[in-house]
Amino acid sequence: MLTELRISGLGVIDEAVADFSPGLSVLTGETGAGKTMVVTGLRLLAGGRADPGRVRRGAEKALVEGRFDLAATATMDAADRRDLDELLEDTDVELDEDGSVIAARRVGADGRSRARLGGRSVPAGTLARFCAPVLAVHGQNDQLRLLRPDRQRDAVDAHGGDEARAALDAYRDTYRLWRDAERSLAERTGRARELAREADLLRMGLEEIDALGPEPGEEAELDARIRRLTDSEELREVAGQAHDVLAGDGETSEPVVGVLDQLRHRLAAAGDPALDPIATSIGQAVAALGDAATELGLYLAELPVDAADLDSAMERRHDLRALTRKYGTDVDDVLAWADRARTRLGEVDTSDSAVAELRSTVERLAAELDERGATLTRIRRAAGDDLAERVSAELAELSMGGARLVVRVTRSGEGLDGASESGLDDVELALDGPSGIVPLGRGASGGELSRVMLALEVVLAERSGGGTLVFDEVDAGVGGRAALSIGKRLARLARTHQVIAVTHLAQVAAYADTHLVVHKDTGAGGSDGVVSGVTAVADSDRVTELARMLAGMEDTDTGLAHARELLEKAQREKSQAQVDR
């Protein structure tokens, strides 16, 4: 839920703060006051395109900050909540103590844009991913998304609920396996000669590597062994001299260890306490030198003396280097190449048995895909029929001239020719009106599309909860009873979602839980001498604003009485609807 919005330097808005509550919030104000800039700010938060032309004249930048209370998204779709939590973890964003996080977007007059989430710099795309499940903006331009076939299909699938989601997931799993198997079969049959040559080269390489049998890290061990063999005489002489000094040569020299040990005994037996620490230190030295003498003896015993060992080690190193020249920079690279080669060899096997087995796999997966696609089609058609019926009932209350929504779910092509990752179907939304059944966009006006979008949102909201829905003048081109119906439906939608609506109709604004007025000061400097701000109104101030919206009659008793009656009637109907629910 969006709890607070701060805007500075955006269009006619110099500095404004708007506090939003659960339920339905409306934004009203005179033409040119800056209502559109509030929606523009929300679009920026949702990752929309940064237009430097929107920066207030004379300002260096425009800044939009929104505080989202994620603790209020308990009813959010589980998959959306999981994606949101993963995004916050990936970006290392921590929530504030109250469970909220601040999203911010900065647009410079020079065209540079910056995005921040939870105080951390993020790409604008990350901000869009964050806002996707928590903020949706519907305006005249956003209605175009309803014309896209993929969006229409998504709407039907969303109405299908868990059953449609599970069927689509199962279909997609099979589709990916089928496509991979098909590509592999096409490659093996279409490039058989080329693949056979590749397979021969892979086998030759593997045979060469397997014949030598290199081990990980073997090169370093060989280098150390060769160095020891090459310098064995010098090493033997140095180690032998050290060993003779410490342990004695058994003939002419007396071992140092023995001499020191005798000295230690004499000092310890002298009877002077001052000599005891010295005797102890010499004893420790004797023990250490004794260990060194033992290790030198072992070293000398293991030191190779056969020249053939050196020849064998150097030959082994030569063979390994021959492999690394062909297959990698070192032995580990060679072994990694061998692993990849074995995998690839399984992929390019063009033998009759391998191709036959793969063809059988493709046929099995194709049959499974067709079956799962048919199941998805059946679910979509049922969901589409139900969606059409429910949306049509909503449209009947929105002055759509008896128009009904029609959902067409048709097979994309013969067999699996039209298969895609989204199914075997083409999904199309159309309006059945006086001119017959016409696809959306060909016969619907902008105002009608707005009402279709609203009707869809109201129906789809029955299967979801949480999130903030923003409607920009969804009531364009309507009035009277239709305007009241729009107000009722926005209030109904606000039972499960936070709804923010920009409206110019008092009949819609009267149903709001929170009424915000975007006001302008034409005496200020800046863009065209206009500065705008946002103020919450209630009680008599709200009645005055509704009277202004009705007919500019905020200064007359008749206008105020009409506005007060409208507000009381709308709030009474809304309260009764809550009770009936």
Side-chain angles (χ1 to χ4, degrees):
M1 183 182 77
L2 179 66
T3 60
E4 182 182 73
L5 181 67
R6 292 178 175 271
I7 299 176
S8 64
L10 186 65
V12 296
I13 298 179
D14 180 37
E15 193 81 33
V17 178
D19 293 319
F20 296 100
S21 301
L24 173 61
S25 298
V26 296
L27 286 161
T28 66
E30 297 179 9
T31 301
K35 300 187 297 296
T36 301
M37 287 300 102
V38 175
V39 178
T40 299
L42 291 171
R43 290 185 195 280
L44 285 171
L45 282 186
R49 186 177 68 88
D51 182 4
R54 295 290 192 179
V55 178
R56 182 173 173 79
R57 185 181 303 171
E60 295 182 356
K61 65 181 183 298
L63 180 63
V64 182
E65 294 180 321
R67 179 178 290 276
F68 292 88
D69 181 5
L70 299 188
T73 58
T75 56
M76 181 188 296
D77 179 83
D80 287 341
R81 181 70 213 204
R82 185 169 56 253
D83 292 343
L84 187 61
D85 290 339
E86 289 177 357
L87 173 65
L88 295 175
E89 183 176 354
D90 291 343
T91 53
D92 201 23
V93 170
E94 295 184 359
L95 303 183
D96 290 344
E97 293 181 357
D98 60 356
S100 67
V101 64
I102 294 178
R105 189 80 182 277
R106 175 189 181 278
V107 181
D110 56 2
R112 295 182 180 179
S113 171
R114 297 288 184 272
R116 298 182 71 83
L117 183 62
R120 296 185 179 275
S121 294
V122 296
T126 299
L127 208 59
R129 287 174 55 202
F130 167 78
C131 286
V134 298
L135 178 66
V137 182
H138 303 303
Q140 294 289 330
N141 293 330
D142 297 284
Q143 294 153 15
L144 296 176
R145 78 184 185 112
L146 192 59
L147 307 182
R148 290 168 42 184
D150 60 327
R151 293 293 187 176
Q152 296 181 4
R153 183 185 60 242
D154 290 346
V156 173
D157 288 348
H159 191 63
D162 293 339
E163 185 182 18
R165 186 181 299 109
L168 181 58
D169 289 342
Y171 171 88
R172 282 176 171 167
D173 290 342
T174 303
Y175 176 81
R176 296 185 185 106
L177 294 174
W178 172 71
R179 290 297 298 161
D180 290 343
E182 264 211 332
R183 279 193 290 266
S184 182
L185 179 61
E187 183 181 30
R188 295 194 200 194
T189 56
R191 299 171 52 222
R193 183 174 301 176
E194 180 182 347
L195 293 178
R197 286 196 298 269
E198 182 183 354
D200 288 341
L201 291 174
L202 292 172
R203 290 191 189 97
M204 289 174 58
L206 288 172
E207 289 172 1
E208 186 177 5
I209 294 171
D210 291 341
L212 192 58
E215 297 291 338
E218 185 178 358
E219 280 182 306
E221 295 177 3
L222 270 178
D223 288 340
R225 184 181 175 195
I226 289 171
R227 283 195 300 272
R228 181 178 294 179
L229 287 166
T230 302
D231 302 332
S232 61
E233 291 303 321
E234 181 180 350
L235 294 172
R236 184 177 299 281
E237 180 181 355
V238 172
Q241 288 177 352
H243 182 267
D244 290 345
V245 169
L246 293 177
D249 60 5
E251 296 178 1
T252 59
S253 64
E254 188 175 358
V256 169
V257 174
V259 173
L260 289 174
D261 196 39
Q262 292 175 11
L263 181 60
R264 177 184 65 82
H265 281 295
R266 292 178 63 188
L267 290 172
D272 187 347
L275 295 176
D276 289 344
I278 300 175
T280 300
S281 297
I282 293 175
Q284 293 171 347
V286 167
L289 292 173
D291 291 342
T294 301
E295 291 174 4
L296 283 169
L298 294 173
Y299 175 82
L300 287 166
E302 295 175 358
L303 196 62
V305 295
D306 191 350
D309 289 344
L310 176 60
D311 293 339
S312 175
M314 294 191 71
E315 183 179 355
R316 177 72 176 176
R317 184 172 66 176
H318 177 271
D319 292 341
L320 289 177
R321 287 182 175 176
L323 286 182
T324 58
R325 282 194 296 269
K326 294 180 181 179
Y327 306 111
T329 58
D330 55 28
V331 169
D332 290 344
D333 275 355
V334 171
L335 293 173
W337 181 91
D339 289 339
R340 293 194 299 272
R342 289 187 181 91
T343 301
R344 179 58 178 163
L345 192 58
E347 296 172 350
V348 299
D349 186 356
T350 56
S351 65
D352 291 343
S353 59
V355 171
E357 182 180 355
L358 185 55
R359 183 173 283 112
S360 175
T361 298
V362 171
E363 292 173 355
R364 175 181 59 79
L365 289 172
E368 183 178 340
L369 185 68
D370 189 68
E371 181 180 348
R372 291 189 168 180
T375 299
L376 181 59
T377 299
R378 175 181 55 78
I379 293 172
R380 279 176 171 164
R381 284 176 176 164
D385 290 345
D386 188 67
L387 180 65
E389 181 179 350
R390 291 172 180 268
V391 171
S392 296
E394 294 294 329
L395 293 178
E397 300 294 328
L398 296 176
S399 295
M400 288 288 288
R404 293 181 55 82
L405 182 71
V406 176
V407 179
R408 293 167 166 167
V409 180
T410 57
R411 189 85 175 212
S412 299
E414 292 292 330
L416 298 180
D417 292 342
S420 71
E421 195 169 11
S422 299
L424 306 177
D425 317 308
D426 290 326
V427 178
E428 182 182 60
L429 302 187
L431 282 178
D432 184 2
S435 301
I437 299 178
V438 181
L440 288 181
R442 294 187 187 176
S445 65
E448 288 173 328
L449 281 176
S450 294
R451 280 171 273 173
V452 172
M453 176 72 79
L454 175 59
L456 275 170
E457 292 288 4
V458 169
V459 173
L460 294 176
E462 296 175 0
R463 294 186 179 271
S464 65
T468 298
L469 301 175
V470 181
F471 292 95
D472 184 15
E473 297 192 355
V474 71
D475 49 17
V478 300
R481 186 176 298 276
L484 289 171
S485 295
I486 290 176
K488 291 178 183 178
R489 269 135 191 87
L490 288 174
R492 176 180 164 189
L493 187 59
R495 297 173 189 169
T496 53
H497 296 70
Q498 181 189 39
V499 179
I500 300 173
V502 176
T503 180
H504 64 280
L505 293 179
Q507 294 94 325
V508 173
Y511 284 88
D513 300 294
T514 302
H515 191 151
L516 302 172
V517 177
V518 182
H519 55 82
K520 62 181 179 179
D521 179 2
T522 56
S527 178
D528 299 325
V530 176
V531 175
S532 293
V534 180
T535 302
V537 295
D539 302 327
S540 61
D541 291 334
R542 185 176 183 185
V543 171
T544 300
E545 172 64 10
L546 291 175
R548 180 199 64 78
M549 297 173 69
L550 282 169
M553 301 172 62
E554 66 271 29
D555 294 330
T556 67
D557 292 338
T558 301
L560 292 172
H562 188 184
R564 187 176 296 105
E565 181 183 1
L566 174 63
L567 178 60
E568 291 173 352
K569 179 176 182 296
Q571 294 297 312
R572 186 168 56 251
E573 287 182 353
K574 191 170 68 172
S575 298
Q576 185 60 46
Q578 291 281 13
V579 172
D580 294 341
R581 185 186 177 197

